[in-house]
Amino acid sequence: MTAPLLEIKGLKKHFPIGGRFNKKGAVKAVDGVDLAVYPGETLSIVGESGCGKSTVGRLALRLMDSTEGEILFEGTNIAGYSQRQMKPIRKDMQCVFQDPYASLNPRMTVGKALAEPLIVQQKMGAAQAMKRAEELLEVVGLRASATALYPHEFSGGQRQRIAIARAISLDPKLIVADEPVSALDVSIQAQIVNLLGDLQQKTNVSYLFISHNLSVVRHISDRVAVMYLGRVVETGTKDQLFNNPLHPYTQALLSSVPEPDVDGKRERIMLRGEVPNAANPPSGCPFHPRCPHAVDRCRTERPAFREVEPGHSASCHFI
Amino acid sequence: MNVAVSPNNNTVARKPKNRAWERFKANRMAFISMFILIGLVLVAVLAPWIAPHDPAEQDLLNKLKPPSADHWFGTDDLGRDLLTRVMYGARVSLAVAIFSVIFNLLIGITVGSLAGYYGGKTDSILMRFVDIMLAFPQFFLLITVVTLLRPNLFNIIVVFVLFGWMGKSRLLRGQILSLKNREFVDAARTIGMSDFRIIFRHILPNAIAPVIISATLQMGSMILTESSLSFLGLGIQPPQASWGNLLQSAQSLTIMTKAPWVPFIPGFMIFLTIMCFNFIGDGLRNAFDSK
């Protein structure tokens, strides 16, 4: 197998609670995550709200400092890099955010917004960068003349196309897509997902695709990682994970996806309770308070994350 | 899969700024105020060339004369032409307002940007310093410092700058705090822009409107403060004219009863100018506010 483009090892992010003088512990938003994204593939991170999946994306982009762990980009640990050291690496890792209404500067024309990365990173002249901006708009399916318009003159789907155009302007190797379609209408979601797929075929870019929408994930991913309470509980290829989910949490998650097949009788697994407080996670297996199969062992002993079949790992005592 | 950009493709893109200018123009009071102020500034700048008399030229035989063809605004208690002195006074009052507010803006924007964007220790230190500056009663501080320094135009501007920037830095800091975690700022960061470029290209254009409005309103209050200082005899010293010391020299009962235009005219000019600044401030607020 080829070397991973992005490899995350033991990544942790703890947000302290309370002030300097009365520390009250920490929210363990990300608590020991291992992931690898290979060139040209799409790795999806799925999980409920608050499980830390967006934080992983922001940590990988170095928009936030990690508490512990390594972030290897093309083999180099960038976890401790300063923003200045990050600059040459940034052209290879770009992002698309969730809210296309917030991710574009309202006081900058679309042309300027698209030209800016080229001017900053490639020292391109303004006129040349503007020409390239027009080409980029056409790549994502908008008119070249849109460079003169301001973001508020576009719809949500069009804005997300602009955000994608900005992300691909530097020919990155990795794009972190943080819920890129969850703010859009269902009909537009499909267009954007297809656009991302087309771009991947053309440029061989890798995606770290963060989402809670399992149907979209199933459509776009090569491999999937399921996160629960700041940890990865199961990883595998798309087929392994969707056809043979091992972890009880993954099983519950998948059973919640509505299926178009009316006759296909499935058992819907209902989870009891809520996601525990990440500041005070349960002992043993973090999933045990909600797990339908939990026994005493789960309450005391944390299950190891182990490989069950090649490429398919999960953390549960009963697999 | 080409998607049309907008139904009518030939609409010219209009900058948000242009739409703000149109809204400003629609506010008649603000628009008229702007022209009055431009007129006042022109008169002030051109005073040496257009003033009918010399501002210090005394004519004791013709003192306290009512307005006439030769002296449009009448004469004061030393027979000096009041129109000329009001014109020269405008130079002082407007210079104080404009220059002190410009330097206030420079300091306020710098401190506010640094505190808001970098947060943490930088923020704590700068904002505690602002708190300390704000803790002094402003006007008494002005009086003390002006009496220690020599009261002249330059020193008064310096003092106004030193003690006037805090509000702006607080205002801007608040704006930046709410903007710096927006996704477009994160997007700018992932491009690898310098902090300087992020602040100037992405954050300030979205944060500056309330600061500009407050600066406009502050110009009015600066004129008032300078007038108050001059009225107390701690501002611009006669024979140099300022609107404040024109009022001060007119505070005797004889002048107020026998020649009411002598205090009335500079008083009216102060009133008019402050009203103009306030109307413009209001107009700007409305123009920037509605999206």
Side-chain angles (χ1 to χ4, degrees):
Chain A
M1 213 170 193
T2 47
L5 178 66
L6 174 75
E7 196 175 4
I8 289 169
K9 287 182 185 167
L11 191 65
K12 290 187 183 179
K13 176 69 186 177
H14 295 179
F15 294 102
I17 312 171
R20 201 176 309 163
F21 303 112
N22 53 342
K23 285 206 178 101
K24 299 190 185 97
V27 173
K28 293 163 182 163
V30 176
D31 200 23
V33 163
D34 300 285
L35 286 175
V37 185
Y38 292 91
E41 76 161 357
T42 301
L43 171 70
S44 292
I45 305 180
V46 296
E48 290 168 273
S49 308
C51 73
K53 54 190 192 300
S54 287
T55 310
V56 170
R58 297 175 64 86
L59 289 170
L61 286 165
R62 289 299 322 281
L63 289 174
M64 226 181 230
D65 289 328
S66 52
T67 311
E68 217 181 290
E70 290 178 32
I71 302 163
L72 301 165
F73 189 77
E74 296 188 304
T76 320
N77 185 7
I78 58 168
Y81 271 26
S82 68
Q83 293 302 325
R84 191 174 301 246
Q85 284 172 301
M86 278 304 293
K87 189 178 173 186
I89 293 160
R90 292 221 178 270
K91 70 177 188 302
D92 290 328
M93 51 197 308
Q94 288 291 303
C95 63
V96 176
F97 290 105
Q98 173 174 10
D99 183 0
Y101 290 88
S103 63
L104 297 166
N105 183 346
R107 295 198 175 266
M108 216 179 227
T109 61
V110 167
K112 278 191 186 147
L114 291 179
E116 198 167 33
L118 302 166
I119 294 168
V120 169
Q121 279 282 354
Q122 299 179 358
K123 310 275 173 242
M124 210 181 255
Q128 198 192 349
M130 202 52 97
K131 257 189 89 75
R132 180 82 185 110
E134 291 178 356
E135 292 165 18
L136 285 165
L137 281 176
E138 282 175 345
V139 171
V140 297
L142 295 170
R143 286 174 209 272
S145 59
T147 46
L149 300 174
Y150 282 85
H152 67 87
E153 291 165 291
F154 294 89
S155 70
Q158 289 169 339
R159 285 173 184 225
Q160 201 58 301
R161 285 171 189 273
I162 296 163
I164 291 170
R166 178 175 57 190
I168 61 170
S169 62
L170 296 170
D171 286 323
K173 293 172 180 158
L174 173 73
I175 292 179
V176 176
D178 187 0
E179 308 243 12
V181 298
S182 51
L184 305 175
D185 287 349
V186 180
S187 56
I188 310 291
Q189 287 188 358
Q191 293 179 7
I192 297 295
V193 168
N194 288 338
L195 173 63
L196 289 170
D198 290 347
L199 290 171
Q200 188 168 46
Q201 288 203 327
K202 274 185 224 161
T203 62
N204 203 35
V205 62
S206 305
Y207 292 124
L208 181 62
F209 193 90
I210 298 158
S211 180
H212 59 252
N213 186 333
L214 290 165
S215 314
V216 170
V217 165
R218 185 167 203 169
H219 183 79
I220 198 170
S221 314
D222 298 305
R223 291 188 307 122
V224 182
V226 180
M227 275 186 75
Y228 186 77
L229 218 60
R231 286 162 189 273
V232 176
V233 295
E234 183 165 359
T235 59
T237 65
K238 174 175 70 179
D239 294 334
Q240 285 169 341
L241 201 116
F242 278 88
N243 298 334
N244 180 25
L246 294 171
H247 196 281
Y249 179 65
T250 317
Q251 291 164 358
L253 212 56
L254 292 182
S255 79
S256 70
V257 181
E259 278 211 40
D261 184 4
V262 186
D263 297 327
K265 292 266 182 284
R266 281 188 313 175
E267 201 188 340
R268 171 91 160 84
I269 306 169
M270 295 296 288
L271 285 182
R272 290 160 296 152
E274 287 172 29
V275 186
N277 184 353
N280 184 20
S283 60
C285 172
F287 188 57
H288 83 255
R290 304 174 75 193
C291 182
H293 314 298
V295 295
D296 279 345
R297 186 180 170 202
C298 303
R299 283 179 256 283
T300 51
E301 192 185 328
R302 181 183 281 281
F305 190 68
R306 53 200 173 82
E307 196 161 40
V308 182
E309 53 183 316
H312 192 179
S313 312
S315 58
C316 180
H317 293 306
F318 301 103
I319 48 171
Chain B
M1 45 171 199
N2 264 302
V3 175
V5 167
S6 65
N8 45 347
N9 191 34
N10 38 4
T11 43
V12 184
R14 289 236 295 274
K15 293 185 166 196
K17 269 177 216 150
N18 286 351
R19 279 178 290 120
W21 169 238
E22 257 151 47
R23 273 196 298 270
F24 182 78
K25 271 199 297 192
N27 183 336
R28 202 183 308 158
M29 290 307 280
F31 200 53
I32 295 171
S33 299
M34 196 187 68
F35 278 104
I36 295 178
L37 261 183
I38 291 174
L40 279 173
V41 170
L42 282 178
V43 167
V45 170
L46 300 175
W49 294 279
I50 60 171
H53 294 267
D54 186 291
E57 174 197 272
Q58 298 183 9
D59 183 359
L60 291 171
L61 291 174
N62 282 315
K63 65 179 187 179
L64 296 178
K65 288 284 179 214
S68 63
D70 187 30
H71 302 289
W72 289 7
F73 285 181
T75 59
D76 69 0
D77 54 339
L78 295 171
R80 294 175 294 198
D81 179 53
L82 201 55
L83 173 61
T84 307
R85 291 191 61 77
V86 165
M87 282 178 168
Y88 275 85
R91 287 165 82 83
V92 170
S93 292
L94 292 173
V96 167
I98 292 168
F99 288 111
S100 59
V101 168
I102 286 175
F103 287 107
N104 269 332
L105 274 177
L106 288 180
I107 301 178
I109 288 174
T110 312
V111 172
S113 306
L114 292 176
Y117 186 76
Y118 288 105
K121 274 202 184 109
T122 322
D123 185 31
S124 304
I125 293 170
L126 289 174
M127 283 302 119
R128 287 308 77 75
F129 181 62
V130 167
D131 287 344
I132 292 169
M133 296 292 289
L134 282 171
F136 293 109
Q138 294 290 297
F139 197 69
F140 293 101
L141 200 63
L142 285 180
I143 291 177
T144 318
V145 178
V146 169
T147 35
L148 288 176
L149 300 170
R150 255 177 340 116
N152 59 29
L153 183 58
F154 179 79
N155 282 345
I156 283 178
I157 292 177
V158 167
V159 170
F160 280 17
V161 169
L162 288 182
F163 299 112
W165 54 271
M166 292 83 76
K168 257 145 237 72
S169 67
R170 287 223 128 161
L171 193 60
L172 186 66
R173 169 183 174 268
Q175 290 284 312
I176 289 181
L177 281 183
S178 77
L179 279 167
K180 72 171 178 183
N181 289 322
R182 294 273 291 279
E183 288 182 345
F184 69 84
V185 177
D186 279 337
R189 246 174 243 149
T190 55
I191 285 164
M193 271 180 232
S194 60
D195 289 346
F196 186 83
R197 194 178 166 105
I198 291 177
I199 291 173
F200 274 85
R201 300 264 301 175
H202 292 272
I203 296 182
L204 278 186
N206 289 291
I208 203 74
V211 180
I212 297 293
I213 293 161
S214 116
T216 314
L217 297 173
Q218 197 194 18
M219 290 211 193
S221 71
M222 286 293 188
I223 288 182
L224 199 61
T225 315
E226 185 277 322
S227 301
S228 312
L229 279 180
S230 296
F231 186 75
L232 294 172
L234 296 165
I236 306 302
Q237 298 299 302
Q240 195 183 2
S242 88
W243 290 344
N245 71 24
L246 290 183
L247 268 184
Q248 189 223 5
S249 61
Q251 60 180 316
S252 80
L253 195 61
T254 2
I255 297 177
M256 281 207 270
T257 47
K258 287 194 175 155
W261 58 89
V262 180
F264 176 79
I265 289 167
F268 179 77
M269 294 311 292
I270 293 171
F271 165 78
L272 180 73
T273 315
I274 292 172
M275 287 303 278
C276 286
F277 276 123
N278 286 354
F279 278 125
I280 291 174
D282 278 349
L284 285 178
R285 175 165 23 220
N286 292 335
F288 283 133
D289 248 15
S290 45
K291 277 260 157 70

